[in-house]
């Protein structure tokens, strides 16, 4: 199972447990509870459709179905003049949970259509997501959508592995990166070991791959290798080595390395 998929399932179950507690403690109406469960089910159904990797019916239809439940929730929580009614705290809580699930369905749909070559539809869905979910509660989903939108502009220039990675197909991305020896592929392969994407977390292997890319002059790998030396994950902790790799990255204009060096200096102050 993919790390991202497992994380979503864990978060989903955690959310449902919290929702159940909130419902029992605050008298939330059955409409809020049942509609929240329905939207969660739609997200699971959509994920199953996408994992099948066939050509299922319109995956975006799950978003359309979720909108029906969202509308019912709004009608439960607000009168025609948008004045809150009922338990406003519970309304906000359940609305945000359902909003996040709906935003995830839109993001999944955008990735699905990009993966199947329908860039126009992918772009439209991702733009709609950014406009619709434009507050901090949905920053993760909108940030991913914006990044993917920017990537679509140069889509034809990306390698198959990078395309697969952007679209969340980590198994395919891993297979593609593993056959390459260029710095970017080595770096992404190291990152997958570092983050546990398609493979178990292995910081020692991540460090070895970052080093290969770093020695080829790839600044992001130099920076990430420096981070591992700071923490001692996968390598023996060594501030001097960390500083060395951060400086190499900074020499190429990698600005995150500047912040890392500044933090190291701040940590040394008495």
């Amino acid at each position: 199972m993919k790390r991202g998929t497992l994380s979503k399932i864990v978060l989903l179950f955690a959310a449902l447990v919290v929702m159940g507690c909130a419902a029992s403690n605050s008298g939330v109406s059955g409409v809020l509870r049942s509609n929240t469960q329905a939207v969660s089910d739609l997200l699971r159904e959509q994920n199953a459709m996408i994992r099948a990797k066939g050509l299922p019916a319109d995956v975006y239809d799950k978003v359309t179905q979720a909108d029906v439940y969202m509308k019912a929730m709004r009608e439960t929580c607000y009168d025609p003049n948008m004045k809150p009614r009922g338990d406003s705290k519970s309304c906000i809580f359940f609305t945000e949970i359902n909003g996040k699930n709906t935003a995830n369905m839109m993001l999944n749909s955008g990735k699905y259509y990009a993966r199947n070559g329908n860039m126009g539809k992918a772009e439209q869905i991702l733009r709609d997501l950014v406009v619709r979910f434009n507050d901090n509660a949905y920053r993760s989903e909108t940030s991913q959508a914006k990044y993917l939108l920017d990537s679509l502009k140069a889509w034809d220039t990306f390698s198959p592995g990078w395309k697969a990675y952007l679209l969340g197909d980590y198994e395919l991305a891993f297979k593609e990166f593993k056959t390459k020896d260029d710095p970017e592929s080595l770096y992404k392969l190291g990152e997958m070991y570092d983050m546990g994407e398609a493979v178990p977390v292995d910081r020692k292997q991540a460090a070895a791959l970052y080093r290969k890319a770093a020695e080829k002059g790839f600044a992001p790998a130099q920076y990430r290798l420096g981070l591992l030396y700071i923490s001692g994950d996968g390598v023996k902790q060594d501030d001097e080595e960390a500083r060395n790799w951060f400086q190499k990255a900074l020499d190429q204009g990698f600005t995150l390395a500047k912040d890392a060096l500044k933090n190291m200096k701040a940590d040394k102050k008495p």
Side-chain angles (χ1 to χ4, degrees), residues 242-255:
R243 192 175 292 107
N244 174 56
W245 287 112
F246 287 147
Q247 188 60 55
K248 287 179 182 293
L250 182 59
D251 289 344
Q252 297 187 69
F254 197 78
T255 55

Side-chain angles (χ1 to χ4, degrees), residues 31-32 35 66-80 82-83 85 91 95 132:
V31 173
L32 293 177
N35 286 3
D67 284 341
V68 174
Y69 295 109
M70 291 290 286
K71 181 181 178 182
M73 291 184 70
R74 285 193 298 271
E75 291 173 349
T76 299
C77 292
Y78 303 96
D79 66 18
M82 294 305 292
K83 182 179 179 180
R85 58 188 176 193
C91 284
T95 298
R132 178 174 173 181

Side-chain angles (χ1 to χ4, degrees), residues 154-167:
W155 196 252
D156 292 340
T157 68
F158 293 146
S159 68
W162 185 236
K163 289 178 180 178
Y165 186 85
L166 286 171
L167 297 175

Side-chain angles (χ1 to χ4, degrees), residues 37-89:
Q37 182 62 60
V39 175
S40 296
D41 288 343
L42 288 170
L43 176 59
R44 285 198 296 268
E45 290 168 11
Q46 188 197 55
N47 281 327
M49 291 168 67
I50 292 172
R51 282 197 302 272
K53 295 184 179 179
L55 289 173
D58 192 346
V59 297
Y60 191 75
D61 186 54
K62 297 298 180 184
V63 177
T64 304
Q65 293 176 47
D67 284 341
V68 174
Y69 295 109
M70 291 290 286
K71 181 181 178 182
M73 291 184 70
R74 285 193 298 271
E75 291 173 349
T76 299
C77 292
Y78 303 96
D79 66 18
N81 296 317
M82 294 305 292
K83 182 179 179 180
R85 58 188 176 193
D87 187 339
S88 59
K89 288 184 179 179

Side-chain angles (χ1 to χ4, degrees), residues 34-248:
S34 62
N35 286 3
T36 296
Q37 182 62 60
V39 175
S40 296
D41 288 343
L42 288 170
L43 176 59
R44 285 198 296 268
E45 290 168 11
Q46 188 197 55
N47 281 327
M49 291 168 67
I50 292 172
R51 282 197 302 272
K53 295 184 179 179
L55 289 173
D58 192 346
V59 297
Y60 191 75
D61 186 54
K62 297 298 180 184
V63 177
T64 304
Q65 293 176 47
D67 284 341
V68 174
Y69 295 109
M70 291 290 286
K71 181 181 178 182
M73 291 184 70
R74 285 193 298 271
E75 291 173 349
T76 299
C77 292
Y78 303 96
D79 66 18
N81 296 317
M82 294 305 292
K83 182 179 179 180
R85 58 188 176 193
D87 187 339
S88 59
K89 288 184 179 179
S90 294
C91 284
I92 291 171
F93 175 78
F94 281 95
T95 298
E96 286 192 356
I97 290 290
N98 283 287
K100 248 185 136 43
N101 284 341
T102 303
N104 268 304
M105 280 189 273
M106 293 182 75
L107 185 61
N108 287 345
S109 298
K111 289 180 178 181
Y112 171 82
Y113 289 113
R115 182 158 55 242
N116 286 283
N118 192 338
M119 296 303 176
K121 192 161 187 175
E123 183 175 352
Q124 178 186 343
I125 291 170
L126 293 170
R127 289 193 186 283
D128 287 348
L129 190 164
V130 172
V131 171
R132 178 174 173 181
F133 298 97
N134 58 2
D135 61 46
N136 286 339
Y138 312 106
R139 181 179 295 173
S140 174
E141 292 77 18
T142 55
S143 294
Q144 291 182 66
K146 288 176 182 177
Y147 187 74
L148 190 51
L149 279 168
D150 287 340
S151 299
L152 292 180
K153 298 173 185 176
W155 196 252
D156 292 340
T157 68
F158 293 146
S159 68
W162 185 236
K163 289 178 180 178
Y165 186 85
L166 286 171
L167 297 175
D169 192 343
Y170 297 131
E171 282 85 357
L172 177 57
F174 182 83
K175 290 177 183 177
E176 291 287 341
F177 291 140
K178 203 170 182 180
T179 65
K180 310 295 182 185
D181 194 44
D182 61 281
E184 185 174 322
S185 294
L186 290 168
Y187 167 72
K188 291 305 297 181
L189 199 59
E191 190 176 51
M192 296 183 83
Y193 277 108
D194 198 354
M195 304 300 291
E197 294 167 334
V199 289
V201 171
D202 186 338
R203 298 277 159 65
K204 186 175 181 179
Q205 182 70 352
L209 289 160
Y210 284 154
R211 183 178 295 278
K212 286 184 179 180
E215 289 173 348
K216 292 175 181 284
F218 195 61
Q222 293 168 343
Y223 170 74
R224 293 296 284 268
L225 185 57
L227 292 179
L228 291 183
Y229 273 111
I230 285 282
S231 63
D233 283 335
V235 292
K236 184 178 179 180
Q237 200 282 330
D238 190 327
D239 285 352
E240 195 56 41
E241 274 290 301
R243 192 175 292 107
N244 174 56
W245 287 112
F246 287 147
Q247 188 60 55
K248 287 179 182 293

